Amino acid sequence: MIADQRIFDVAKFGIYLGRFVAGDTWRINRTYTQTSSAGTIATMYWTVKTDPTLPDASAIFQRVITAGQTASGQITDANAADGSITLYFIALKTQTALLTPGQEYYYDVQGVTSTGAVYTFESGTIVAQQGVTTADS
């Protein structure tokens, strides 16, 4: 993906996501810029949990993406020239419906290089809102 060997060391912590409705399909778009040396980002993870210390197997949901487009999203641009990575994640309505409106959940976005190094790009909290319309067809 990212040919030049840099680390994304300008992580964003303490982000609050509160404009999502539980039971809706969610899409988050992100662009991160790298600033120093590392490896090629091959896989990205968006994980949402009730407690950040829980294992990933206990997550409310986890979306995993690569350069190939899937229902989970896609890494859309890994630009070695300007050192940036652009991506999007999609959480399906069946996943977001597991969130209780008003309750705080923890999330992070991590990338894993082709050599297995792990980098956290972003972390924070999500508080889903209660929807009004319940139609889904």
Side-chain angles (χ1 to χ4, degrees):
M1 296 292 185
I2 297 177
D4 64 348
Q5 303 294 302
R6 301 184 194 183
I7 294 177
F8 290 81
D9 61 2
V10 186
K12 299 174 184 179
F13 297 109
I15 304 296
Y16 172 75
L17 301 178
R19 294 188 166 221
F20 291 106
V21 174
D24 282 2
T25 300
W26 298 358
R27 178 178 168 138
I28 63 168
N29 301 302
R30 294 292 187 261
T31 298
Y32 300 105
T33 302
Q34 28 181 19
T35 59
S36 60
S37 177
T40 302
I41 300 297
T43 307
M44 296 289 293
Y45 295 85
W46 176 28
T47 307
V48 177
K49 300 178 181 180
T50 57
D51 182 327
T53 64
L54 292 172
D56 285 357
S58 297
I60 301 295
F61 64 83
Q62 182 177 68
R63 305 306 278 171
V64 181
I65 61 171
T66 63
Q69 185 177 9
T70 68
S72 295
Q74 180 181 18
I75 299 171
T76 57
D77 181 34
N79 189 333
D82 70 3
S84 67
I85 183 170
T86 302
L87 56 99
Y88 67 91
F89 288 102
I90 296 174
L92 304 174
K93 65 182 184 175
T94 54
Q95 295 164 323
T96 69
L98 300 172
L99 303 175
T100 302
Q103 181 175 328
E104 185 173 70
Y105 296 90
Y106 301 89
Y107 83 94
D108 70 8
V109 175
Q110 287 189 337
V112 180
T113 68
S114 55
T115 60
V118 177
Y119 297 100
T120 299
F121 290 73
E122 178 179 331
S123 71
T125 56
I126 294 175
V127 177
Q129 305 303 308
Q130 177 65 53
V132 176
T133 302
T134 58
D136 63 2
S137 62

